[in-house]
Amino acid sequence: MASDQSFGSVPQFYNEIYNIICPTSKQQVDRDIFVKLLIKSSLPSHTLIAIWDLVDKKQGYLTRNGLYKSLALIALAQQGKQIGETILDTYNGQDLPKPLLGDLSDLRELSMKLRRVKNPTRLEMEYSEICSYDTINIEIIPEKKGLFLKHVEYEISSQRQKTQVRRRYNDFVALHDLLLLRFPYRSIPRLPPKRMMGADAEFIEERRRCLKRYLTLICRHPIISEDRIVSFFLSFVGQDAQSKMRESFRNVPDEYVVSELALRAKELVPLDTHIQYSSNREQIGQFHASVCHIKEIAERIVSGTKLYSQDMTEFGRELTVLSTEKASESAWGTGGSKNWFLTKKTFRILQKNFAALSESLSTQTNNVDDGVVEDLNLLVDFLIAYKDLCDRHEKGVQQDHQRALTKMLSIKKKLAVNSVRGPDLTTTDLLETRIVEHENQILNMENRNYFSLHCIHMETQLVYIYMDLLHKVVQTLAELQTDGHNQLSKLWEEFQPILNKTFQKSVKSPTNSRPTSPINTDIPSNYLYH
């Protein structure tokens, strides 16, 4: 509990609400979001007006204190109490009541949308907010045979859409093609490759992981995730999804045509954008190299732990082989000692301990693979998508713009030559018409170029938001390694009492007789070793 309010102690729920609707450092609760919050309380309008009058400071927004006070007033009103200026005085030092507000996911989405509208050049998001957009899961459906070739189906579930659909790889290809046409100025991740023949279980599982990461990046993108194409892909349940998708969206214009920001893109692009773009692209290229190296290290950790698990299995197996030997040991070989008999008995007991070690290590392998390596793969996938976006910008919009300018200069040169040689009215009119057409084309290209730069600016900010994933990776690795080593330490400690017990028995069982031998016992024993 916190106690930063003069009228009572603040429950954790209040802080959670504040973090949802005001995640930035400005500490200002937007008025529109607060109104939405009031409506979610399901209180009558006259009560909501009364609460508003008590917390509104005529600033156009609410402070943190004002939000906490309103939450307490909502809770009391829901309990049937009369709202007034002094009603919270009795809660001095006590926990404030918790209001009933239902599902808060739409409140989170509204908060993010309003922030984008009010400041379109700043994302102002945390990685946790990116994750809150959606959670995607993909599972492989048991293999089916087509008319000629086998094909794999994937069952896709979306937490946000609350849907579960089946898709094939070619459905992802259709989605990918449409998204590239719809969002040419956004970071679109790459699809995993398609193997025509001989796709084994390992390849299919790796592709499942890649598709899950692909769809996760799409469904957590602040802009792309809101598009009808994505919603259709996650919800359509009819036959031949890819054909239906291509048919439904083939004539949909790209983002530039429909965006409200397109016509004012120039004013959204800072003057030093080209310098900043080059600098940040180089920096993000270094990010990519470092993250790839970290991923390789994490993969070696997984491989090492997996090998450790296999070694413990083989270690236990070999001890079991030794313990189950049926050959009888003669007193000639053992010297009459029972130590080997007790040791074999111990090996049989330790078989379960080695199996437990191997199982624990196998679990650690899977945990690091799923919790660390996959997150690093997700980050690498997005960094590659950003690189591809920059390549499209430099090879596409900029080159098209340069070609249009060159063509314009060529037309103007022809017009000037025609004027010098003598006015050919037909040729002059034609050239002037073409100049107007190309000027409009160049103007449109310039706007597209500015819009592309604006989008790259936003995608660059998104890269830095995704870089927070490294913090999660290191934290997860530290937790997994700590838990794993603690568990292994306990398992190894369980060996000690078993081994100590055997040693104690062997000490208590000395031999009192000389070993028997088929060789003449009158021969000095030291002679036998020469």
Side-chain angles (χ1 to χ4, degrees):
M1 301 293 178
S3 56
D4 57 344
Q5 305 300 309
S6 59
F7 46 79
S9 180
V10 177
Q12 180 60 30
F13 179 73
Y14 283 33
N15 292 324
E16 293 173 1
I17 295 292
Y18 177 78
N19 290 332
I20 288 175
I21 63 179
C22 189
T24 64
S25 58
K26 293 182 179 180
Q27 298 186 354
Q28 296 178 358
V29 179
D30 187 88
R31 179 171 179 164
D32 294 335
I33 300 178
F34 179 65
V35 170
K36 180 75 172 179
L37 180 68
L38 289 176
I39 295 173
K40 289 181 71 67
S41 68
S42 300
L43 291 171
S45 58
H46 66 275
T47 304
L48 297 179
I49 293 173
I51 294 174
W52 176 265
D53 291 339
L54 289 172
V55 298
D56 183 25
K57 302 299 181 182
K58 310 301 182 184
Q59 297 173 313
Y61 62 87
L62 254 65
T63 62
R64 181 194 288 257
N65 287 1
L67 174 65
Y68 289 168
K69 184 176 181 179
S70 67
L71 292 173
L73 293 174
I74 290 172
L76 292 173
Q78 288 175 335
Q79 296 173 10
K81 296 183 179 180
Q82 188 68 31
I83 299 302
E85 186 69 44
T86 61
I87 190 172
L88 295 176
D89 293 347
T90 58
Y91 281 89
N92 188 17
Q94 299 180 31
D95 291 344
L96 294 170
K98 179 180 175 181
L100 302 176
L101 299 173
D103 183 14
L104 300 175
S105 58
D106 58 338
L107 204 63
R108 192 191 309 271
E109 292 179 15
L110 177 62
S111 173
M112 291 186 285
K113 287 180 181 178
L114 285 176
R115 292 202 306 273
R116 288 204 305 268
V117 169
K118 294 192 174 185
N119 192 351
T121 62
R122 291 287 184 271
L123 283 181
E124 295 183 338
M125 298 177 70
E126 304 290 340
Y127 180 69
S128 58
E129 290 183 271
I130 294 292
C131 293
S132 70
Y133 268 100
D134 204 351
T135 299
I136 297 294
N137 190 42
I138 298 181
E139 298 295 338
I140 298 173
I141 298 174
E143 189 177 77
K144 292 184 177 182
K145 292 185 178 180
L147 184 59
F148 299 104
L149 298 172
K150 298 177 180 179
H151 67 265
V152 179
E153 279 191 319
Y154 303 93
E155 187 171 75
I156 304 169
S157 61
S158 165
Q159 193 175 86
R160 180 184 183 184
Q161 300 284 342
K162 296 180 174 58
T163 57
Q164 196 171 66
V165 295
R166 293 188 176 190
R167 294 288 180 264
R168 295 176 59 182
Y169 176 80
N170 287 337
D171 299 328
F172 282 89
V173 173
L175 172 67
H176 184 71
D177 293 343
L178 288 169
L179 290 179
L180 282 174
L181 293 173
R182 175 71 165 156
F183 298 101
Y185 314 124
R186 301 291 179 180
S187 300
I188 307 293
R190 295 178 184 178
L191 273 178
K194 181 176 182 179
R195 180 180 293 182
M196 295 301 296
M197 299 291 290
D200 55 17
E202 183 178 354
F203 172 83
I204 292 173
E205 170 59 20
E206 179 58 30
R207 192 168 68 177
R208 181 197 68 82
R209 291 185 174 218
C210 292
L211 291 175
K212 180 180 178 181
R213 295 196 303 269
Y214 174 88
L215 205 53
T216 295
L217 291 173
I218 293 297
C219 294
R220 289 181 177 176
H221 192 284
I223 302 298
I224 301 175
S225 63
E226 304 291 335
D227 196 76
R228 292 186 298 119
I229 298 175
V230 176
S231 178
F232 183 93
F233 182 84
L234 294 172
S235 59
F236 179 73
V237 293
Q239 297 293 323
D240 197 8
Q242 58 174 304
S243 298
K244 187 67 175 178
M245 195 159 38
R246 292 184 189 277
E247 179 184 348
S248 300
F249 300 102
R250 63 185 175 185
N251 295 322
V252 174
D254 69 4
E255 182 188 6
Y256 170 78
V257 176
V258 298
S259 175
E260 296 178 356
L261 301 178
L263 295 180
R264 48 187 288 245
K266 185 176 181 178
E267 63 187 70
L268 298 177
V269 176
L271 295 177
D272 62 344
T273 290
H274 289 285
I275 297 174
Q276 293 294 338
Y277 164 69
S278 299
S279 175
N280 278 273
R281 183 175 184 185
E282 181 180 355
Q283 179 67 47
I284 292 171
Q286 295 173 1
F287 288 169
H288 178 244
S290 295
V291 174
C292 284
H293 190 203
I294 292 172
K295 183 173 77 77
E296 292 173 0
I297 296 171
E299 289 172 341
R300 288 201 295 269
I301 294 174
V302 170
S303 299
T305 310
K306 184 178 181 179
L307 183 61
Y308 189 5
S309 173
Q310 294 171 348
D311 286 344
M312 290 302 97
T313 299
E314 293 182 17
F315 200 127
R317 184 184 301 118
E318 291 302 323
L319 292 182
T320 301
V321 170
L322 289 171
S323 69
T324 55
E325 278 187 342
K326 295 182 179 180
S328 59
E329 293 82 12
S330 65
W332 181 85
T334 63
S337 172
K338 294 183 179 180
N339 286 1
W340 177 240
F341 171 79
L342 295 173
T343 299
K344 290 200 300 180
K345 187 177 180 180
T346 301
F347 288 169
R348 286 194 294 270
I349 297 173
L350 290 178
Q351 181 181 1
K352 294 182 179 179
N353 297 73
F354 278 102
L357 275 173
S358 179
E359 183 178 354
S360 175
L361 288 164
S362 179
T363 301
Q364 289 182 44
T365 300
N366 295 332
N367 289 340
V368 174
D369 196 19
D370 294 337
V372 176
V373 175
E374 273 305 289
D375 277 351
L376 288 170
N377 278 326
L378 185 74
L379 181 54
V380 169
D381 287 352
F382 188 74
L383 292 174
I384 292 175
Y386 178 82
K387 175 184 177 300
D388 291 344
L389 168 64
C390 295
D391 290 343
R392 286 198 303 272
H393 171 75
E394 294 170 7
K395 296 177 182 178
V397 175
Q398 287 186 343
Q399 288 187 2
D400 289 345
H401 189 204
Q402 187 60 43
R403 280 195 295 267
L405 287 175
T406 303
K407 193 169 185 179
M408 170 66 77
L409 292 175
S410 175
I411 295 173
K412 287 186 174 181
K413 184 177 180 180
K414 289 180 181 178
L415 181 62
V417 170
N418 184 66
S419 299
V420 171
R421 290 179 177 178
D424 183 343
L425 296 180
T426 303
T427 303
T428 301
D429 290 344
L430 178 61
L431 290 174
E432 288 179 347
T433 301
R434 292 178 63 186
I435 287 175
V436 173
E437 291 175 351
H438 278 278
E439 283 178 343
N440 292 332
Q441 183 182 5
I442 289 173
L443 179 61
N444 182 54
M445 286 184 177
E446 287 180 345
N447 286 335
R448 276 190 174 271
N449 185 50
Y450 282 119
F451 184 74
S452 177
L453 288 170
H454 166 69
C455 291
I456 287 178
H457 186 195
M458 296 300 98
E459 298 300 307
T460 305
Q461 294 179 40
L462 197 55
V463 167
Y464 282 89
I465 292 173
Y466 264 96
M467 289 301 292
D468 289 345
L469 187 56
L470 280 178
H471 179 273
K472 177 176 177 286
V473 163
V474 176
Q475 185 177 36
T476 301
L477 181 62
E479 291 173 353
L480 291 175
Q481 292 296 311
T482 301
D483 293 343
H485 282 84
N486 288 339
Q487 188 173 359
L488 288 178
S489 178
K490 291 178 181 178
L491 290 173
W492 279 115
E493 287 174 359
E494 293 175 2
F495 280 67
Q496 296 302 324
I498 300 172
L499 295 169
N500 291 339
K501 186 177 180 181
T502 303
F503 177 77
Q504 291 169 2
K505 285 183 178 181
S506 65
V507 170
K508 293 178 182 179
S509 306
T511 178
N512 296 321
S513 60
R514 294 180 63 187
T516 60
S517 171
I519 303 176
N520 189 342
T521 57
D522 292 335
I523 301 176
S525 60
N526 61 345
Y527 180 79
L528 299 175
Y529 297 97
H530 288 292

